[in-house]
Amino acid sequence: MFQTNRTTCALFAGTWVRDDTYPLYQYSNCPVIDAEFNCQMSGRPDSGYLKYRWQPLNCQLPRFDGLVFLSKMRGKTVMFVGDSLGRNQFESLICMILAANPQTQTQMNRAMPLSTFKFLEYGVSISYFRAPFLVDVDVMQGKRIVKLDDIAGNGNAWRMADVLVFNTGHWWGHEGSLRGWDLIQSGGKYYQDMDRLVAMEKGLRTWANWVDSNVDITRTRVFFQSASPDHYNKRVQDALLRPHLATGPMSLTKSPNEWSAAATATTAKNCYGETEPMKGTTYTSTYADQMGVVNEVIREMHVPTYLMDITMLSELRKDGHPSIYRGDFSPSQRANPQKSADCSHWCLPGLPDTWNELFYTVLFY
């Protein structure tokens, strides 16, 4: 395991335990959950995946208390910055706070790239800024250009936040129609593609320089969330990150005996039909190369940046994805889980609530 975080409690090493007091809120009581995360409303038939609590090896997590969160964060702004996994966590945190104070006055403004939910009585704002690469993406002559050396455009929106939670990861490995750029700009030159880990490191160093140059450590705390794993049967993650080096046969990211009968009955294994976490206390991460880059960049930063190392605990939760139970899926998509299942995002209520329990712990304890 990477030892970037050294505290008396190893928060990110542990096991999933059944707990019937979960979930922390009901989907029907939280109006902000997007259709693609709202698995119960979208017909997911099982609910056992909602009944698990993360148990660190050598300590107990404090129970999340939305009123405590609001009182401690009075007059402040929390901003999640990154890809749609950040939006997953943003919506989760709002739901968790609302569960403790459902009658409080609120205001929601959804826009692109910035969405903000305000708890008016407390002056607390929870925001999400969409920036899947963190660095700027410009459109020139109809082409999307990821600018590995530029971040000022995005960064202007982050300056006034009191707590910043960054994430990036998935988009650096996307291929084909999912790829988020037409060109990459670096060092004044343009590339159609490059080693994805090299590109990610360049982008992260631009982000780190922005944090070191712009964050006032007397008023702002900075967190970085490690990669959220997906559960597809595909080439391992570093082959995706380095497509020109990807050779040899396809390999499973999970061993066959970890998949349910419903999943193995299909021709391509994914999270469809999974209803329980994987057993054990840790899982060998397929994101080691990404994590190595993240650790190195954060270690060299001047502004203290806390790494929320949620990758391994999340990797055990093959049961937590929307699969075909997304409100925006058509009947034909639902009928073809091999091709359509979403094994990247997470159901709400669900795993992102645990990320926020850990965030709450690190923020206040």
Side-chain angles (χ1 to χ4, degrees), residues 25-328:
Y25 57 91
Q26 299 298 322
Y27 77 89
S28 54
N29 296 331
C30 189
V32 304
I33 303 174
D34 282 332
E36 64 258 47
F37 308 147
N38 206 332
C39 305
Q40 292 289 307
M41 190 177 75
S42 302
R44 181 164 174 169
D46 62 303
S47 58
Y49 70 96
L50 298 170
K51 302 290 186 181
Y52 287 93
R53 171 176 55 82
W54 178 246
Q55 176 60 61
L57 289 177
N58 61 347
C59 62
Q60 198 80 19
L61 290 181
R63 187 81 172 183
F64 184 93
D65 188 323
L67 291 176
V68 169
F69 188 97
L70 289 173
S71 62
K72 287 182 176 288
M73 294 301 295
R74 187 181 291 274
K76 291 183 166 55
T77 296
V78 177
M79 184 178 288
F80 295 92
V81 180
D83 58 27
S84 54
L85 282 310
R87 179 162 54 91
N88 232 175
Q89 188 175 3
F90 158 73
E91 293 178 11
S92 161
L93 182 59
I94 294 168
C95 294
M96 291 167 73
I97 298 171
L98 278 175
N101 197 354
Q103 303 304 319
T104 190
Q105 286 187 298
T106 63
Q107 182 184 75
M108 179 70 168
N109 178 44
R110 285 186 185 269
M112 183 64 75
L114 179 64
S115 296
T116 300
F117 190 96
K118 294 182 178 180
F119 293 88
L120 299 174
E121 296 170 51
Y122 295 85
V124 173
S125 294
I126 313 293
S127 296
Y128 164 67
F129 187 94
R130 184 182 182 275
F133 301 102
L134 299 183
V135 294
D136 293 345
V137 179
D138 286 346
V139 177
M140 295 174 59
Q141 298 178 343
K143 293 188 180 295
R144 300 161 301 166
I145 302 173
V146 174
K147 307 178 81 172
L148 298 183
D149 305 321
D150 294 327
I151 202 169
N154 287 345
N156 283 334
W158 313 335
R159 290 178 183 274
M160 301 311 294
D162 300 283
V163 179
L164 285 162
V165 185
F166 294 96
N167 88 290
T168 188
H170 282 212
W171 282 66
W172 297 102
H174 283 344
E175 289 290 349
S177 62
L178 294 177
R179 199 170 77 170
W181 69 82
D182 299 297
L183 294 170
I184 298 173
Q185 183 181 11
S186 177
K189 296 182 180 179
Y190 293 90
Y191 305 86
Q192 288 189 325
D193 207 346
M194 66 166 61
D195 183 307
R196 303 298 179 80
L197 276 175
V198 171
M200 181 178 174
E201 181 173 358
K202 287 176 180 288
L204 278 176
R205 292 198 180 280
T206 298
W207 161 80
N209 289 336
W210 182 91
V211 171
D212 282 344
S213 302
N214 292 277
V215 166
D216 178 356
I217 61 174
T218 64
R219 69 174 293 262
T220 302
R221 292 180 67 180
V222 181
F223 297 82
F224 190 96
Q225 181 123 310
S226 67
S228 167
D230 58 36
H231 291 90
Y232 293 105
N233 176 10
K234 61 184 181 181
R235 293 185 187 275
V236 291
Q237 189 67 13
D238 39 339
L240 280 173
L241 286 164
R242 290 177 161 161
H244 59 288
L245 300 179
T247 57
M250 296 284 281
S251 59
L252 289 170
T253 57
K254 305 284 175 280
S255 62
N257 61 359
E258 291 168 340
W259 298 96
S260 75
T264 54
T266 62
T267 55
K269 299 182 187 69
N270 57 33
C271 63
Y272 174 68
E274 296 296 334
T275 60
E276 295 180 348
M278 283 181 278
K279 302 294 190 289
T281 56
T282 59
Y283 193 82
T284 303
S285 175
T286 58
Y287 291 80
D289 284 351
Q290 270 197 9
M291 286 296 295
V293 169
V294 168
N295 271 273
E296 182 180 345
V297 170
I298 288 178
R299 267 199 307 268
E300 295 174 7
M301 293 172 68
H302 302 300
V303 169
T305 300
Y306 191 97
L307 178 65
M308 302 287 294
D309 191 359
I310 55 88
T311 304
M312 286 196 223
L313 67 91
S314 303
E315 207 157 7
L316 294 168
R317 295 306 306 271
K318 66 189 189 327
D319 57 325
H321 298 287
S323 180
I324 60 170
Y325 303 106
R326 286 177 50 135
D328 57 346

